[in-house]
Amino acid sequence: MSLFIESIKVEDQKIFLADLHQKRINDTFSHFGKSDSVDLQKIFKHLDHNEDGLYKLRLIYDLEKKIRTQMIPYAIPEIHTFQLVENNIYDYSFKFEDRKELEKMKMKSKCEEIIIVKNNHITDTSFSNLLFKKGKEWFTPTTYLLNGVQRQQLLKTKKIKETEITLQNLKDFSHFQLINAMNDFDDMFVYPIDRILNLPWNEDYFEL
């Protein structure tokens, strides 16, 4: 049976974006024909987590409502090199625990992190959605692999906009940053576009 995963921000004993995580869990159960789900707030309460600081609550579950949890101290990673990797068939519509294909793509690359290109369009990294800066505004690709909770929240609060981002118009953007449940919109972790080592106007990007 497939396993699914949620990575949830917990800071100073407070859980973040719980409603969006719960909706994704509920949608997963519903899509696979299950009328019942698991209650994230109840799970968190039973953990009796009383430590301050930043943690990642890792929740692994299956459709029979068997769950496994880990509470892991978290620090935002700084990544030095990125590479565009083309994969036109990869699908990550649901947050599966199995990341073998993503790890395979990373292993074949020459950088610390990959940016997956699908049908000529920019999608996500191996663990996050992406934002790109044009002028003073930030945009996220319409062609995401997974509609992450942080992405949904930033769009809902109108801090970012959606746009089509392709290999052709990537040069119109000056900077980018990574967002996920653990990493909010943060000017401290902004990368210049040339941090991507194989930009299409410099050399061919890596294909899988």
Side-chain angles (χ1 to χ4, degrees), residues 8-91:
I8 303 154
K9 179 180 177 180
V10 176
E11 188 168 19
D12 297 337
Q13 305 175 49
K14 178 185 175 184
I15 191 168
F16 284 74
L17 302 180
D19 55 338
L20 292 174
H21 284 288
Q22 185 66 62
K23 182 179 184 304
R24 182 158 63 191
I25 293 169
N26 293 348
D27 288 348
T28 300
F29 275 86
S30 177
H31 176 83
F32 290 98
K34 300 290 185 177
S35 58
D36 204 4
S37 183
V38 295
D39 188 326
L40 178 56
Q41 289 285 8
K42 187 181 292 186
I43 291 167
F44 179 62
K45 184 178 179 181
H46 286 167
L47 290 176
D48 197 24
H49 175 68
N50 58 9
E51 298 288 334
D52 285 341
L54 180 60
Y55 287 81
K56 175 166 68 174
L57 169 55
R58 194 167 184 263
L59 171 66
I60 299 171
Y61 66 95
D62 67 17
L63 297 175
E64 299 301 320
K65 300 201 290 184
K66 295 175 184 174
I67 64 168
R68 200 163 72 238
T69 61
Q70 289 178 289
M71 190 72 76
I72 307 164
Y74 187 81
I76 297 172
E78 183 170 3
I79 301 166
H80 297 94
T81 55
F82 296 81
Q83 180 174 337
L84 298 169
V85 173
E86 184 177 26
N87 189 324
N88 293 331
I89 61 172
Y90 184 61
D91 178 49

